[in-house]
Amino acid sequence: MTTTVRPAVPRRPSAVRLGLHRATIELKGFFRERDAVVFTFAMPAVILALLGSIFDGVYPGSDVTSAQYLAPSMIAAGVASTTFINLGTGIAADRDDGTLRRLRGAPMPPSAYFIGKILMALVVTVGETVLLLGIAVLAFDLSLPTDPVRWLTFGWVFLLGATACALTGIAASSLAGSARSAGAVMNLPYLVLAFISGVFYTPVGQLPEPLLTVGSLFPLKWMAQGFRSVFLPDSILPQEVVPSWEHGRIALVLAAWCIGGMVLCLTTFRWRGRRSR
């Protein structure tokens, strides 16, 4: 009696492994576009340097300067810029030039594409954050915390905020009709939210009440508040909207936006451009 030995069927790579490979491709493509690299890293850094030089004075009851108050908020703006804007415009470009359509037909799970995009955005976001912290420390004497609890707070605010902005950026990419219009579509809401979230306005507690109400509906305001709780002393709390850092509410709002962003991605994402239908 002969026994037939069946050839071993090669295992397909997992979505995570393919996503890591895709992230490497995305990072190589990003850093080859020198103008995109310069603009991505320069915009929040230049704004921080300019506004930090313009604003002066020390807040009553604390030793925090206007520039030091601005710095954590600009870190939040940098996170939003490198996730929401970059992912939205990048995916819109992939959709417009047919990359998404070709990847959709490839033997690769769709999740690998998104894993690659999000990992690329996270790597760039970490670099942006390090740059902004360096400017804040060297130019404006921002003190880095020595308490591990504060760095733990920084970690979960960073992860939740970056995830929420990344998922929202993926969903918003479907609003752009083409790669050419993607920049305007993504930058307009980003700039509006940055203003009404108190990023470019110090202190945030002096914003008009209607703007505070609208800004509190979106993640940027809470991400900026979370970062201020990490790098600023509690003596600055009288300048906030309420005299508390509200860590529980920050976590709740950012987590809700992570869930909402995922739902929006699943319900609105398009693999094909409108003109190719």
Side-chain angles (χ1 to χ4, degrees), residues 25-212:
I25 296 174
E26 294 286 349
L27 283 168
K28 288 180 179 178
F30 172 77
F31 284 107
R32 283 172 183 163
E33 298 284 343
R34 294 185 180 179
D35 51 347
V37 173
V38 171
F39 180 80
T40 298
F41 284 98
M43 186 177 73
V46 169
I47 292 175
L48 173 59
L50 288 175
L51 294 182
S53 301
I54 293 171
F55 295 146
D56 58 3
V58 178
Y59 293 109
S62 75
D63 57 355
V64 178
T65 66
S66 298
Q68 290 169 346
Y69 188 92
L70 172 71
S73 301
M74 282 306 306
I75 293 173
V79 171
S81 173
T82 52
T83 51
F84 178 79
I85 295 179
N86 275 21
L87 279 178
T89 54
I91 292 173
D94 286 348
R95 183 183 293 116
D96 197 43
D97 65 13
T99 299
L100 281 183
R101 187 169 61 252
R102 292 190 295 272
L103 289 175
R104 183 63 168 164
M108 178 184 78
S111 57
Y113 171 77
F114 297 109
I115 291 172
K117 280 287 186 184
I118 291 174
L119 287 177
M120 181 272 292
L122 286 176
V123 170
V124 175
T125 301
V126 170
E128 178 76 77
T129 302
V130 171
L131 174 62
L132 291 172
L133 275 177
I135 293 173
V137 171
L138 296 175
F140 305 119
D141 296 322
L142 181 71
S143 298
L144 297 180
T146 57
D147 185 357
V149 175
R150 293 207 171 206
W151 283 113
L152 180 62
T153 300
F154 176 85
W156 65 257
V157 171
F158 180 89
L159 286 176
L160 284 177
T163 302
C165 291
L167 291 172
T168 309
I170 292 172
S173 69
S174 297
L175 297 175
S178 65
R180 190 172 297 177
S181 65
V185 170
M186 304 304 296
N187 275 286
L188 179 60
Y190 166 78
L191 290 174
V192 171
L193 285 177
F195 275 102
I196 67 176
S197 299
V199 170
F200 302 143
Y201 191 93
T202 62
V204 66
Q206 294 183 6
L207 275 172
E209 187 67 28
L211 296 184
L212 284 173

Side-chain angles (χ1 to χ4, degrees), residues 91-92 95 100-101 114 170-178 264-277:
I91 292 173
R95 183 183 293 116
L100 281 183
R101 187 169 61 252
F114 297 109
I170 292 172
S173 69
S174 297
L175 297 175
S178 65
L264 285 173
C265 288
L266 294 174
T267 55
T268 65
F269 187 81
R270 296 180 291 105
W271 290 92
R272 294 175 178 270
R274 295 171 187 171
R275 291 176 298 182
S276 60
R277 289 184 174 182

